[in-house]
Amino acid sequence: MKTKKVWFVTGASKGLGLSLVQKLLAAGYRVAATSRTVAGLEEKIGKASNEFLPLEMNITDNEDVKKVIAKTVAHFGQLDVVVNNAGYGLIGSLEELSDAEVKEQFDVNVFGSLNVIRNAAPYLRAQQSGHFFNIASIGGYTGGFPGFGIYCATKFAVAGFTEALAEEMKDFGVHATVVYPGYFRTEFLSGGSIKVPANPIDAYKSTRAGEELHLNEINGKQSGDPDKAADVMIEVSEMQAPPVHLFLGQDAHDVARQKIGIIQTDLNKHEALAAATAFAEN
C-alpha cells in the first residue's frame, strides 16, 4: 500500500488551515502544522504522533522556518505538499498606513511564504515530486476593495510568484497552485486576523464604510464553507495536472470574470492608441 503524502500547513490553528488539517488527518494523510504557538494546535487538533506534528514557527524568520521544515522531514521521512496559508489582513487607505505597518504586512504575507518556499523546495526538487499551494485571496486578482489595497497588494505578489514558481519547478515534477478564496466563514474578519491603521484619517468616509461592511455585515455571513474548500484542495493535490490558478467559491469566480471583462474592454478600447508605440519601419 502506497504511503500517504506528508503535508506541511502554515497558519493551521484556525480558519481554512485548521479545516484543511482536520480533513487531511481524517483522510489518512500525515500532517505537520505550524502556528505561532503549539498550544493552540494541540488543543484543537491533538498531540504529536506518527500522523500529526504540531510545530511553533516564526514565519518571518528564515532560519526558524528552515529548522521547522527539517524537523518535519526528520519526523516523517519526506515532504510532499506545502500549503502557505499563514497571514493576516491589514485594512486602511494607502495614505493612512505607515511604512512600518505596510512592511509588517509584506513580511508575513509575502516574505513569510517565500521563506517556506525557499526551504521546502530543495526537498521536493530532490525527490522530483511535490506540490505548493499558496493561499492568496480573490483580492489577489482584483484590488478594487477600498481600504484593502495593501492586503490586496500582498496577495497579488503571492499570485505573481506562484506563476513563476510553477514554471521554475515543472522540470522537477513539482506543481504550484495559487488559491484565490472568496468569502469563507472563518475567523479572518475577526479573532486577531485583521489589523487597522494606528493613525486613521477622518476624511476617508467611503473607505471606512467599506471596511465596516466587511467587519460588521459580511463577517459571519460568508457563503463559503471552509471544510468544503479543504476537500477541493485535497482533490486538486491528487490530480496529475493540477491548475496553477484555483478560484475557490462561486463568488470568487464571479469577481474574477468581472475583472476579466474590465480588462478585455480596456484592451479593445485602447489597443490602437497603446500599441502604436513601436519604432516606425523604414
Side-chain angles (χ1 to χ4, degrees), residues 127-174:
Q127 71 191 20
Q128 298 283 294
S129 67
H131 198 152
F132 286 98
F133 284 96
N134 296 324
I135 310 300
S137 162
I138 190 56
Y141 192 74
T142 179
F145 301 101
F148 287 84
I150 295 301
Y151 173 75
C152 289
T154 66
K155 296 305 185 178
F156 268 75
V158 170
F161 68 60
T162 304
E163 289 185 353
L165 183 66
E167 291 299 314
E168 293 167 357
M169 299 297 288
K170 66 182 183 181
D171 288 346
F172 310 113
V174 178

Side-chain angles (χ1 to χ4, degrees), residues 23-101:
K23 285 280 188 175
L24 287 166
L25 291 171
Y29 292 92
R30 294 174 291 164
V31 184
T34 79
S35 185
R36 286 172 289 184
T37 63
V38 169
L41 294 169
E42 291 180 337
E43 178 184 351
K44 295 176 181 178
I45 305 169
K47 301 284 187 178
S49 66
N50 290 333
E51 291 75 38
F52 177 61
L53 181 63
L55 294 161
E56 180 178 322
M57 187 176 78
N58 178 1
I59 199 168
T60 65
D61 183 336
N62 183 68
E63 288 304 309
D64 192 42
V65 172
K66 183 177 182 179
K67 291 176 184 177
V68 168
I69 291 175
K71 286 181 182 177
T72 299
V73 176
H75 185 83
F76 293 115
Q78 66 190 77
L79 177 61
D80 301 292
V81 184
V82 175
V83 182
N84 272 309
N85 175 67
Y88 71 95
L90 176 65
I91 59 177
S93 70
L94 301 186
E95 180 185 355
E96 62 193 344
L97 290 170
S98 70
D99 182 62
E101 288 170 319

Side-chain angles (χ1 to χ4, degrees), residues 158-223:
V158 170
F161 68 60
T162 304
E163 289 185 353
L165 183 66
E167 291 299 314
E168 293 167 357
M169 299 297 288
K170 66 182 183 181
D171 288 346
F172 310 113
V174 178
H175 303 291
T177 298
V178 54
V179 183
Y180 305 93
Y183 289 112
F184 280 82
R185 203 168 300 176
T186 68
E187 299 173 350
F188 178 74
L189 292 174
S190 59
S193 294
I194 288 284
K195 293 187 178 182
V196 297
N199 298 297
I201 298 173
D202 291 340
Y204 282 99
K205 305 296 185 185
S206 60
T207 298
R208 289 291 93 77
E211 295 168 0
E212 291 300 317
L213 175 68
H214 281 81
L215 297 177
N216 297 328
E217 296 186 33
I218 295 175
N219 187 30
K221 300 176 184 177
Q222 300 95 323
S223 61

